[in-house]
Amino acid sequence: MAQMTLPETMDLKAAAGLKASILAQRGSPLELDASGVRRLGGLCLQVLMAAASTWRTDGQSFSLTNPSESFAEAIRLFGADAALGTAIHGA
């Protein structure tokens, strides 16, 4: 299983790098540690949602672990908890 730690600030500037880092792990189970996330922007959220969908389609495990309070709150405020809810562990 591949593991990655998400950056503290997940904004427009972080989106392209996040996408590239995640896609580099395609084909194997992926666990993303969200414990240090303090800010989650919409574009990075879209990257996470697309990744969750892609991993599901590929039949691979995709999980977001140890979500910080800020990360969990942003997911809720964006209304993405239904889309990512089953991927989030340790909330």
Side-chain angles (χ1 to χ4, degrees):
M1 173 178 284
Q3 297 179 325
M4 291 175 43
T5 299
L6 294 174
E8 182 176 320
T9 302
M10 296 180 65
D11 58 7
L12 179 63
K13 293 178 186 177
L18 178 64
K19 177 185 172 188
S21 295
I22 289 174
L23 283 177
Q25 304 303 322
R26 189 166 181 187
S28 64
L30 181 59
E31 180 179 293
L32 302 174
D33 182 344
S35 62
V37 176
R38 299 291 165 243
R39 181 167 180 263
L40 175 63
L43 194 52
C44 283
L45 175 58
Q46 288 178 358
V47 169
L48 294 176
M49 291 173 61
S53 176
T54 298
W55 260 248
R56 243 187 332 269
T57 299
D58 290 351
Q60 295 291 335
S61 170
F62 178 89
S63 61
L64 295 156
T65 60
N66 307 315
S68 67
E69 195 172 308
S70 298
F71 182 86
E73 179 69 2
I75 295 294
R76 187 187 69 73
L77 289 173
F78 276 118
D81 41 356
L84 288 176
T86 58
I88 299 175
H89 303 283

